[in-house]
Amino acid sequence: MTTERRDLKYMRRALELAARGLGRTSPNPAVGAIVVAGDEIVGEGFHRAAGQPHAEVVALHDAGKQAAGAALYVSLEPCSTVGRTPPCTQAIIAAGISRVIYACRDCDSANAGRADEVLHAGGIETLCGPLEQEARQLNEAYFKHKPTGRPFVTVKLACTLDGKIATRTGDSKWITGEEARQLVHTLRDRSDAVMVGCGTVLADDPALTTRLDKLDARDALRVVVDTCADTPPGAKVVTESSAASCMIAVSEREILKDDVQARVAELEKAGAGILALPEKAGKLDLAELMAELGSRDIMSVLVEGGARLVGGLLEQNLVDKLLLFYAPKIIGDQDALSAVVGLDIEEIGVARSVCVEQVERVGEDILVTAYLCSPD
């Protein structure tokens, strides 16, 4: 096996380990590391949560004395400055590692590009680049949040082939199949927050919790965009037992009204947190909402509807990624609910453009993964 193929093989394992930390490490990136002596993996680790040991330290501890003279594969450039934990570069040097291979450079200005200098001074060979694109995509939320302070926003939509998310009566269970629905629970497990509009709560009463058959499954912060606090206090998103909290984003202007204040008090009594935000052009300022979430170390937001919320996010250029599940069904009714509404577009030339990344089968459904192109 060539050195290049060997590096790719072990980096794939490091990325697999890193993925275990998604949704759990914010505001830190998800990182995986392995120690390889000869052709044997002698140590593995991944970053579990902010404040806990970094992946490199965990892998080195797992390897013990076998780390001396071995190679270390890391999915992100090792840190070289003191944060909540000591710098990983010093631990790497102390362990006697001979070669460090990492997939991509950090975007944190405190660390970016410094690992090579520190490790070379310690007599360690370095290589950056194997599976760089995959590594950056794995941590796309971190690479958005770190320089901007804003979360990476992914919109998930489940619709028929003719772009409908429900019939004219509001019936939508279930458009997609079981495999697609299970994938959505995996997405929730890996996201810091899951968001819907009040209309979705009123229509479907979703709990927005994660239902996966694994011990470490977790719920994300549940956010409801609800200008006038119309979410019922008994809604599942508020009352469902969960370690994660529920946040209702309401209008600063509307909350001054007596009836809205009364509804807010009932929601708070039921256990929901209230976030009052300004309006923009008569609508809740979604950019301010994202800025507030980002300030709370929310790096990734999964938006699950409804159509007006998605339209509002697109209108304010706040969507980074689209996950479009298409079911092999056709409703064919002009009064059925469309996947996106609210965009004032009269000419096709000004329609929002997306870059399709991947098209794949998920059970009986088709999943289109796309990224929003930058507006001109």
Side-chain angles (χ1 to χ4, degrees):
M1 183 184 299
T2 65
T3 300
E4 181 180 359
R5 290 182 61 187
R6 185 173 183 269
D7 288 347
L8 292 174
K9 170 187 174 182
Y10 291 125
M11 190 60 74
R12 288 192 184 94
R13 177 56 183 165
L15 289 172
E16 290 174 1
L17 291 167
R20 296 184 185 181
L22 288 172
R24 294 151 172 82
T25 64
S26 298
N28 292 347
V31 182
I34 64 172
V35 180
V36 179
D39 289 322
E40 180 185 0
I41 296 176
V42 296
E44 292 188 335
F46 67 96
H47 186 40
R48 293 181 178 274
Q52 293 192 20
H54 288 187
E56 299 94 317
V57 173
V58 177
L60 291 171
H61 183 269
D62 189 37
K65 294 181 179 180
Q66 296 180 88
L72 175 69
Y73 290 82
V74 192
S75 59
L76 185 69
E77 178 181 6
C79 67
S80 51
T81 57
V82 178
R84 297 187 190 182
T85 60
C88 290
T89 50
Q90 295 304 317
I92 294 168
I93 294 171
I97 290 291
S98 64
R99 182 171 180 253
V100 173
I101 307 92
Y102 58 96
C104 64
R105 296 199 185 282
D106 199 342
C107 63
D108 185 347
S109 58
N111 293 312
R114 294 192 59 191
D116 286 356
E117 178 183 351
V118 175
L119 294 173
H120 289 168
I124 298 174
E125 176 189 350
T126 64
L127 173 66
C128 173
L131 301 183
E132 178 179 6
Q133 182 176 351
E134 291 87 339
R136 289 186 63 88
Q137 190 169 51
L138 178 79
N139 271 310
E140 58 192 0
Y142 171 74
F143 280 97
K144 164 77 177 294
H145 180 265
K146 191 65 182 179
T148 68
R150 302 275 180 109
F152 186 91
V153 179
T154 299
V155 169
K156 184 278 300 182
L157 292 170
C159 52
T160 59
L161 287 178
D162 54 339
K164 304 299 181 180
I165 60 173
T167 67
R168 72 169 76 183
T169 66
D171 183 34
S172 62
K173 294 184 178 179
W174 295 101
I175 288 179
T176 53
E178 177 62 26
E179 292 90 341
R181 298 200 297 275
Q182 278 298 107
L183 179 53
V184 171
H185 285 286
T186 298
L187 294 170
R188 290 179 184 176
D189 177 65
R190 293 182 168 188
S191 299
D192 292 331
V194 58
M195 180 183 294
V196 296
C198 178
T200 297
V201 173
L202 295 175
D204 300 333
D205 193 21
L208 300 181
T209 51
T210 299
R211 295 182 291 280
L212 292 174
D213 187 19
K214 65 175 190 172
L215 294 177
D216 64 342
R218 54 172 288 282
D219 294 334
L221 169 70
R222 293 161 293 168
V223 181
V224 181
V225 179
D226 183 3
T227 303
C228 298
D230 289 320
T231 298
K236 290 178 183 177
V237 72
V238 177
T239 62
E240 189 83 0
S241 177
S242 173
S245 58
C246 172
M247 175 190 292
I248 312 293
V250 302
S251 163
E252 288 178 344
R253 179 176 61 85
E254 293 294 328
I255 206 172
L256 297 176
K257 300 177 180 179
D258 291 343
D259 57 337
V260 177
Q261 285 184 7
R263 292 197 292 272
V264 164
E266 288 298 314
L267 285 167
E268 289 179 323
K269 184 178 179 181
I274 303 297
L275 177 62
L277 295 168
E279 293 185 7
K280 182 178 181 180
K283 303 176 183 178
L284 204 67
D285 192 334
L286 298 174
E288 283 297 314
L289 172 56
M290 293 305 171
E292 178 63 30
L293 292 175
S295 72
R296 300 184 183 202
D297 291 340
I298 299 295
M299 292 200 310
S300 57
V301 176
L302 176 66
V303 179
E304 296 196 30
R308 292 196 179 278
L309 173 59
V310 174
L313 291 167
L314 287 168
E315 184 180 35
Q316 295 189 38
N317 298 319
L318 296 173
V319 177
D320 297 294
K321 185 177 183 178
L322 291 169
L323 296 175
L324 305 174
F325 290 89
Y326 286 99
K329 300 170 184 175
I330 295 175
I331 293 178
D333 184 342
Q334 65 178 3
D335 294 324
L337 302 183
S338 297
V340 181
V341 298
L343 291 176
D344 186 18
I345 293 176
E346 297 182 353
E347 299 178 2
I348 201 69
V350 297
R352 292 306 309 272
S353 296
V354 301
C355 303
V356 176
E357 174 79 10
Q358 186 175 16
V359 179
E360 59 188 304
R361 288 287 297 269
V362 179
E364 61 186 18
D365 305 307
I366 300 296
L367 171 59
V368 177
T369 300
Y371 290 86
L372 268 293
C373 303
S374 299
D376 295 332

